[in-house]
Amino acid sequence: MADHQPYISPAQSPAELTPRAVALGVLLGLVFGASNVYLALKIGLTVSASIPIAVLAITIFRALGRATILENNIVQTTGSAADSVSAGVVFTIPAILLMGYDLDISRVTILAIAGGLMGVLMMIPLRRALIVKEHGNLPYPEGTACAEVLIAGEKGGIHAKTVFQAFGLAFAYKFLMTALKLWPEYPGRVIRSYQSAEVRMEVSPELMGVGYIIGPRIAGYLFAGGCLAYVVLMPAIKLFGSAMTEPMFGTTKLIRDMNAGEIRAAFVFYIGAGAVATAGIIALVRSLPTILGAFRAGFADMKASRVGQAVAARLRTDDDLPITLTVFGSAALALVLAFLPQIGVNILGGVLIILFGFFFTTVSSRICGQIGSSANPISGMTIASLIAISFIFLLLGWTQIDDRVRAISIACVIAVAVANGGNTSQDLKTGFLVGATPRRQQIAILIGAIGSALAVGWTLTFLNDAYRYQVPETRPGFVAPASGHSPDGNVVVLDETMAHFGIGGSDSIDADTYQVVRVYVETGGVPAGKYLVDPASHEIRYVVDPGIGGRIREYGGRELKRLDSPKATLMALITDGILTHRLPWALVLIGVFLTIGIELMGVQSLPVAVGVYLPLTTSAGMFAGGVVRWLVERRHRAANRSMAEIESGPGVLFASGLIAGGAICVIAVAAVAGWGSARGKAADWLADAVGLYHSLGAFATSSLVSLIVFGLLGFGLYRVGLRKQ
C-alpha cells in the first residue's frame, strides 16, 4: 500500500455522523434519487450525484453556521446511495409491467431496500482489500474527485450558487415548455421524400446536462446509434417492406402504412434489444480478467486483513462494521425475500442472490476503482445474471407467469446490490482520503439506501400512474373468459371492475363499468397487458396502457407521453425469450451481428447499441450537451487547464443542476396533469387555462423557435463551463 496521510488525522475526532448530516443527506438523496429514476426510465442512464450533493452540503451548512469536513462527507455518502438504488431498480422492475402485471409499490420498496442493504454489507469485508491495500493501484476517480471538492470546501473554495441557478433555470425552462406549451418539446420534421423518415430532437435541459457530463465521445456514439436506426434501418425497412401484402412479426398493419414510430416499435426495437444485450455481454467478457483477478485478490486480501487486524490496534479510520454483519445480514435479507409471500422469491432465489450478488459486487467495486462508476457494466452483469437465472428456471421447468416475475425480482436485488457496492466503494475512497470513520460511513449508506428505496418506489409508481391512459381498443375474435382464467392461464379475469375515465377529458366519459382482464402472454394477437372488457360480450373495449413501456403513442391526433425504460424492456425480452420462446429472433440476431460488426471496427459498441435502442429525439438532445462539452474542453486545453478541473468544475455543477431541475419539473408537471385527468380534464388543462400558447400562435409551434431557445440554454452552459474553478 502506498503511504497515505488523510486530511483529518485518525487521532482527531471531529463531528461526523450527526443527525443534521444524515437528515440533509437523506433529503438531498430524495431529490437526486427522483431525478435519476426519471433519467433511467427516459434514457437508461443515471448520473453520479456525489459531487453536487457535496457542494450543496458545504453551502447549506455554511449558511447555518459551520460544519466539519466529515459531516459534509456523511451528507454526500448518505445522499449518493440514491444513484445506485434508482439505477438497479429502474433497470429491472418495470419489466414486470411489460409482462402484464401492475407495479406494486411494496414489492418495489422491499426489493430496493434488500438490494441496497446487501450491496453495503458485501462491501464491508472488501474495504480493507480494495480501498486501503490497493490505494496506490485503484484510483476510484469519482471518489477521489469528491474528496478534492470536500477539501476545497473546507478551505473556502466551493459554493453551490451554480447548482441552484441551474436548477431554477431548468425548472422554469421545462415548466414553460411542457406545462404552458410556449414552444415545442420535440422540434423536427418528417422527410417525406426519404421513406417518411423522422428527424427530431427533444430540447430538454436534463438531456443537455447528461450529454455534458458523459462527454462528447459517448454522446456522439449514442447519437450515431440513433442515426443508424432512424435514417438507415427504418427507411430501409420501409423501402423493402412497402411491396409486402401481409403484416409480419405479429403486427396488424402493412409496412407501407406504418409511420416511423410504428416501424421502430415493430422492428427496430428488437434489433436494438439484440444489439444492447450483445454489447453488454461483450463488455462483461472483456472484463473477465479483471473479474477473476478481483475475486481472487479480494478473498486473499480479506484473509490477510483479518490476520492484520487481530494484531494491530484499531484506529478510528480503520473501524469497520463487523464482518459477521455481512454474513448474517445477507443471509437474513435473503430469507426475508424467500418467505415474504408478496415477493415470491423462493429459497433457490435467495441463494442465487447471495452468490451472484457477492461475486458481482466484488467485480463492481474493482472496476469502479480502475475506470470509474460511469464505465461500470452494471447492465451487463445484470443481463448475465438474468440469463443464468432464466436457464436454471428453464432446466427446473419453472416457465409459468409467476416464474418470470420471480426471475426479474431476483435480478433486481442483484442489480441494486452490484450498483450500490460500486457506489459504496467510491464513497469509502472519499472517506479514506479525507479521514472519515468507515463504520460511520457504512451506517450512513445503510440509512441512505433505505431512504432512497422509499423514494424510488414512490417515484416509479407515480410516474407510471401519471402517464397511464385508458385508450379505446377492440380486438375482433378475442373473447375473454367470463370468470377465472383461460385453460392455459395466459388470460385472467381479475376480481375488480373499472370505469373508463377518458384520455384526460379528450373523449367522452363512459359511465359503464367494465371487467378487468390481464393478458400475461400474447394471445390471439392481443399483446400482454391490462384490458377493460364488456361484462356481457366479454370483448375488449379499452386497453389500460401503462406510463412506463406503454405501446400506444398517439390517439385522436394527440401525442401520449411515454417512458421507454430501455434497460427494463431489455430484461423483459431476455426473460420472455428464454422462458416462453416468443421473441422474433431474426430481428434480435440482426442486432447481435450489428454489435459484433461495430466491435470489429474497433468502436465501443455499448453506447452505439443503446443509441439504436433509444429514440433519436433523446440521443440528439444529449449530443447537443456533448457538443457543448467538446467546445469547453477545447478552450480549457488552449488555456492549459487540466481535465480534472473540467470534471469537477462549474460546468459539471451547472449540468447537474440542469438534470435535477428538469427531472423534478417533469414529476411536478406529471402531478398537475394527473390531478386534471382524475377530474375529467385534459392533461394539458393548465396550458389551456393560462392560454399563452393560444396567444402566441405560430410562435408556440415553431421548431425554429424551439431550437433557438435550446441553443441559448446551451450557450449559457458553455459560458459557465469556461469559468475557472
Side-chain angles (χ1 to χ4, degrees), residues 7 58 62 66 148-159:
Y7 185 78
I58 292 167
R62 188 172 290 161
R66 188 70 180 171
E148 292 172 356
V149 168
L150 290 170
I151 293 170
E154 185 73 1
K155 298 176 179 178
I158 289 288
H159 59 83

Side-chain angles (χ1 to χ4, degrees), residues 55-89:
V55 172
L56 291 171
I58 292 167
T59 303
I60 292 171
F61 278 152
R62 188 172 290 161
L64 297 176
R66 188 70 180 171
T68 69
I69 187 174
L70 299 190
E71 280 185 294
N72 290 327
N73 181 54
I74 287 294
V75 174
Q76 73 85 18
T77 298
T78 307
S80 66
D83 307 342
S84 48
V85 172
S86 58
V89 170

Side-chain angles (χ1 to χ4, degrees), residues 619-632:
S619 57
M622 288 189 285
F623 182 63
V627 170
V628 174
R629 174 67 174 265
W630 176 73
L631 293 172
V632 169

Side-chain angles (χ1 to χ4, degrees), residues 61 119 190 251 369 372 393 437 483 488 590 598 656 694:
F61 278 152
V190 177
T251 60
F393 281 18
T437 309
S483 61
D488 56 10
I590 291 174
I598 293 170
S656 299
H694 292 302

Side-chain angles (χ1 to χ4, degrees), residues 204-415:
S204 294
E206 64 272 20
L207 294 183
M208 179 170 285
V210 171
Y212 187 93
I213 288 175
I214 64 178
R217 185 179 182 85
I218 300 301
Y221 284 157
L222 287 165
F223 185 57
C227 290
L228 176 62
Y230 276 74
V231 297
V232 178
L233 293 178
M234 288 160 63
I237 291 171
K238 190 73 176 282
L239 175 65
F240 293 111
S242 58
M244 296 184 66
T245 57
E246 292 183 3
M248 62 182 298
F249 289 119
T251 60
T252 57
K253 294 179 74 172
L254 296 175
I255 290 178
R256 63 170 173 262
D257 298 327
M258 291 181 173
N259 58 31
E262 290 169 333
I263 290 176
R264 175 180 177 266
F267 305 105
V268 178
F269 177 81
Y270 295 101
I271 295 173
V276 173
T278 306
I281 293 171
I282 288 174
L284 188 63
V285 170
R286 188 179 285 123
S287 301
L288 276 178
T290 301
I291 290 171
L292 297 175
F295 205 64
R296 286 196 301 265
F299 269 113
D301 288 344
M302 281 167 51
K303 184 177 180 180
S305 297
R306 288 198 301 271
V307 173
Q309 269 189 312
V311 298
R314 183 177 298 175
L315 299 172
R316 177 185 61 81
T317 53
D318 200 29
D319 181 21
D320 290 283
L321 289 171
I323 194 172
T324 52
L325 189 61
T326 296
V327 177
F328 294 112
S330 299
L333 287 170
L335 287 173
V336 168
L337 292 175
F339 289 106
L340 273 179
Q342 66 264 43
I343 300 301
V345 175
N346 54 23
I347 290 292
L348 176 61
V351 172
L352 292 174
I353 286 171
I354 291 177
L355 291 178
F356 284 115
F358 186 74
F359 179 81
F360 283 124
T361 296
T362 304
V363 171
S364 176
S365 179
R366 191 92 185 188
I367 291 175
C368 285
Q370 291 178 329
I371 55 178
S373 300
S374 58
N376 191 13
I378 293 170
S379 56
M381 289 185 265
T382 307
I383 289 169
S385 301
L386 186 57
I387 290 173
I389 292 164
S390 298
F391 272 115
I392 290 171
F393 281 18
L394 187 65
L395 292 174
L396 295 173
W398 297 355
T399 58
Q400 301 304 308
I401 304 299
D402 290 342
D403 296 319
R404 292 186 289 157
V405 176
R406 180 178 292 117
I408 291 294
S409 300
I410 295 170
C412 173
V413 179
I414 294 170

Side-chain angles (χ1 to χ4, degrees), residues 11-85:
Q12 298 176 273
S13 297
E16 189 170 3
L17 188 66
T18 60
R20 67 173 187 169
V22 173
L24 181 59
V26 170
L27 178 62
L28 293 176
L30 294 179
V31 174
F32 283 93
S35 65
N36 266 322
V37 167
Y38 171 72
L39 283 182
L41 290 173
K42 181 78 174 174
I43 61 177
L45 297 172
T46 58
V47 294
S48 174
S50 293
I51 288 177
I53 288 177
V55 172
L56 291 171
I58 292 167
T59 303
I60 292 171
F61 278 152
R62 188 172 290 161
L64 297 176
R66 188 70 180 171
T68 69
I69 187 174
L70 299 190
E71 280 185 294
N72 290 327
N73 181 54
I74 287 294
V75 174
Q76 73 85 18
T77 298
T78 307
S80 66
D83 307 342
S84 48
V85 172

Side-chain angles (χ1 to χ4, degrees), residues 166-187:
F167 184 96
L169 177 63
F171 192 97
Y173 177 105
K174 190 83 174 181
F175 190 83
L176 293 174
M177 180 176 67
T178 58
L180 300 185
K181 296 190 172 299
L182 299 192
W183 59 86
E185 189 174 358
Y186 301 96

